Structure formats: structure tokens, C-alpha cells
Amino acid sequence: MDPSSLVQYLITGLTVGATYGLTALGFTIIFNTTGIINFAQGEFVMLGGMMSVFFMRALGLPEPAAIVLAVAGTTLLGALVERLAIRPVRDCPAINLVIITIGVSILIRGAAMLVWGKDTFALPPFSGNTPLPFLGAALMPQTLWVLAISLLILAGLKTFFSRSIHGKAMLACSFDPKAAALVGIGVDRMVLLSFMISALVGAVGGAILAPITLTSFDVGVLLGLKGFAACILGGLGNPFGAAAGGLILGVLESLGAGLISSAYKDALAFVILLVLLFVRPSGLFGQKDGKRV
């Protein structure tokens, strides 16, 4: 393999891995606040791309306005999922809540199929299709958008959780909801906020990736599973480990497709996940947790 091909595989892996990382961030935000694995996260990613295409075509909006409206609509849907599907049964065992999120995922995917059909759609690239030469490889302008926006979101979340009152309140709920409620934190409000932020992050990921990989009603299934794999790879509950896990997974997947076979590209993520669970169950950046009983 020549160096330019290696660079090309790395660029492709980082581009797709950034979206896996954003999906993994959505999983982590909700898990840290509620202890729930939200398997509807992939559908939030799908809606970011599909609704952007819809608003551009149906309403004739320019692309930036369509994406903003799609992200806002998906964020509102995240709030509705929490209020209508999660909050009424919050006291149920965690496994029941996970099953509910799977049902929500199926419902959203079915509704998207009825509204938009089974066709594949694409958003126009944000700044053209002319590739930029980079170390012998072709760097698409959309790749720079994906990486820049992903880093911006990561920095924004870092600032939110470390500097803002609401961010610190969400972290307090993740450590001990009962203690947080005793000191006056609205736990229900923080859970609602976690679903909204998770939906927002997922929708942004879907919108920025749609010009590269296209979008359809069922893309959320695989993106959600790979985002969950990235979340476990980086360490469940660690936001920045989840983002790093997405990038690592994307690069390994791209190298595997280029060096071995593209037929095994999707399976590679789950092979890596299984191997890691045997070797290091807490993830690459997760901390081992022990309890004395």
C-alpha cells in the first residue's frame, strides 16, 4: 500500500468516525443522566439528514436554514420522546426502558418510511465538490466541514458541562439523582434536557454526513449500532472517550475495507467490540469500577 492510499483511508475513516463519535456522544449524554441506553439515537441521526432534504425540497429553503430547522425539529422530537415514552415509566427497571427506546426507534423509522418512502436522498455539499490535494490524497471540502463541526460540538459540550449551571446539574444527576433532588435540582428537567441535547447532537451528525454518504429512512439502524459500539469502545459514560472511540472505529473500519475487503466493513465494528469486551470490558478510556458487598 502506497502512502497516498493510507492517507486517503485515514481521511475517510476520520470523516465517518466523526459521525460515529457524535452518535456515541448522544448515547453517553442520556446514559450519564438516566442510566438508560437510548437505542432511538440512530433515528435522531437519520432525521437530521432526511428532514434537511425535506425542508429544502418541500419548502424551498436554502440549505443552512433547512439544516437549522431540521435540527430544531429533531430536538423537539427528542423532548417528546422523553415526555411521552420515558417519563411515564421512569420507575420501571432499566431493561424495560431500553426495550421502550427500541420500540420508539421502530416507530420513528416506520413513520419516516411512510412520509419519505424508501428512496435514497442526498444534501448538496456545503462548499462544492472540488477535491483538495493533501499529501497525495483527495480531501473533499465536506470532510473539513464534518471534522470542524464535530470539534466545535465537542468543545461546546465540554464548556457546557464544566462552566454552565445546567451542565453541572446534569452531571450531579448522573452521580446521584436523589441527592441532586434534595439540593433543589429538577431531575426531571435535567433528563428532558439530556434527551434534547442528545437529539440535537445526533441530528447535526446526520445533516453534515448526508452530503457524503447519502441518507434514507433506514440509515439510523446501522449508525446507531456503530455509535453504540464507539460508545463502548471509548468507555460507556465518558463523553470524550465516546468521541475518540468513534474516530478510532471509523479509521479501523476504513483501513479494514481498504486492506482486507469492503464486504466486511460493517462487520468489523462489531468484531472489534466483541474483542474489546473480552479484553477490557470498561473500554479504552473507561475506568474500572468496583463495589464492595
Side-chain angles (χ1 to χ4, degrees):
M1 182 178 59
D2 58 284
S4 61
S5 296
L6 177 60
V7 173
Q8 191 68 63
Y9 294 145
L10 290 174
I11 291 172
T12 303
L14 288 173
T15 303
V16 180
T19 305
Y20 296 163
L22 290 179
T23 308
L25 274 174
F27 278 107
T28 301
I29 290 168
I30 291 179
F31 178 79
N32 278 348
T33 309
T34 65
I36 300 171
I37 301 295
N38 174 32
F39 282 106
Q41 184 63 32
E43 270 45 66
F44 294 153
V45 179
M46 176 271 293
L47 287 173
M50 292 293 285
M51 291 177 70
S52 298
V53 173
F54 172 75
F55 288 134
M56 282 187 67
R57 296 187 176 185
L59 304 182
L61 295 175
E63 189 173 21
I67 290 174
V68 169
L69 195 57
V71 171
T74 307
T75 303
L76 178 60
L77 179 64
L80 290 175
V81 168
E82 193 279 332
R83 291 300 300 266
L84 301 179
I86 301 299
R87 186 172 298 190
V89 291
R90 276 276 304 282
D91 295 331
C92 291
I95 186 63
N96 293 19
L97 297 175
V98 170
I99 293 172
I100 287 172
T101 66
I102 295 173
V104 169
S105 170
I106 296 171
L107 176 63
I108 294 174
R109 188 162 61 251
M113 184 185 68
L114 291 175
V115 172
W116 295 305
K118 297 182 179 180
D119 294 334
T120 300
F121 302 94
L123 280 175
F126 296 174
S127 52
N129 268 325
T130 305
L132 306 172
F134 179 74
L135 299 177
L139 178 64
M140 301 303 294
Q142 188 65 27
T143 294
L144 297 177
W145 280 102
V146 171
L147 295 176
I149 292 174
S150 299
L151 288 174
L152 188 63
I153 289 177
L154 193 60
L157 288 174
K158 169 71 173 176
T159 303
F160 174 75
F161 284 115
S162 62
R163 300 287 182 85
S164 72
I165 293 177
H166 285 87
K168 292 177 180 178
M170 287 178 66
L171 290 175
C173 292
S174 71
F175 283 110
D176 193 329
K178 292 183 179 180
L182 288 174
V183 297
I185 295 174
V187 176
D188 287 342
R189 190 168 68 252
M190 293 303 106
V191 172
L192 176 64
L193 184 60
S194 72
F195 270 83
M196 293 177 69
I197 295 175
S198 175
L200 184 149
V201 170
V204 170
I208 62 178
L209 192 65
I212 299 176
T213 62
L214 309 183
T215 186
S216 64
F217 81 98
D218 59 349
V219 298
V221 178
L222 202 53
L223 282 172
L225 289 174
K226 290 184 179 180
F228 179 64
C231 188
I232 300 298
L233 179 64
L236 186 60
N238 184 339
F240 305 102
L247 294 175
I248 294 170
L249 186 62
V251 169
L252 292 177
E253 186 179 274
S254 179
L255 291 174
L259 300 178
I260 303 173
S261 172
S262 59
Y264 304 109
K265 178 175 71 72
D266 293 330
L268 186 61
F270 306 109
V271 172
I272 294 170
L273 177 60
L274 288 173
V275 171
L276 181 70
L277 287 175
F278 281 117
V279 176
R280 188 178 171 84
S282 59
L284 293 176
F285 306 102
Q287 294 182 350
K288 295 182 179 180
D289 189 20
K291 292 181 179 180
R292 179 177 294 178
V293 294

